[in-house]
Amino acid sequence: QVQLVESGGGLVQAGGSLRLSCAASGRNITIYTTSWYRQAPGLERELVAESTGNGYTNYPDSVKGRFTIIRDKATNTVYLQMNNLRPEDTAVYYCAAGVRVGTPRYWGQGTQVSVSS
């Protein structure tokens, strides 16, 4: 069992940057695939970043080159660095972890990111 708590969301202008944090407790994140998902009103939840910690990362085209997932082993924290934000990035962002790529089992409570035009 691992507990995940997100923070760092807020309101930013288009073109701005934001860094989300995911503090993990209970287990070490090194045993998990870690990821970030987002969900906007009326839309399905979608993957925005994924990392195994072994050099593998996965980003959809919509965020590639703008978002970066970072794992800090020392502090047991996962970050999502978001640059050049767009209004289309507005959503609730969730940290997630699991033992298999693409199948997260543990989820954080979510943090709201709003990007104004």
Side-chain angles (χ1 to χ4, degrees), residues 4 6-7 12 14 20 33-34 38 42 46 49 56-57 69 77-78 80 87 92 95 97-98 101 107 111:
L4 305 171
E6 302 100 330
S7 62
V12 298
L20 306 182
T33 291
T34 53
R38 69 185 181 189
E46 63 174 341
Y56 169 82
T57 57
I69 185 169
T77 303
V78 183
L80 183 67
V92 177
C95 180
V101 172
W107 297 84
T111 186

Side-chain angles (χ1 to χ4, degrees), residues 39-94:
Q39 187 167 24
L43 300 178
E44 297 294 323
R45 185 173 296 183
E46 63 174 341
L47 177 74
V48 295
E50 185 176 57
S51 177
T52 65
N54 296 315
Y56 169 82
T57 57
N58 181 34
Y59 306 92
D61 289 342
S62 59
V63 308
K64 194 172 297 181
R66 300 188 298 118
F67 289 12
T68 306
I69 185 169
I70 304 156
R71 293 158 59 104
D72 189 334
K73 180 180 178 180
T75 61
N76 216 32
T77 303
V78 183
Y79 300 96
L80 183 67
Q81 179 66 47
M82 304 183 291
N83 298 323
N84 193 23
L85 284 161
R86 305 166 180 169
E88 306 90 83
D89 296 319
T90 296
V92 177
Y93 284 71
Y94 299 89

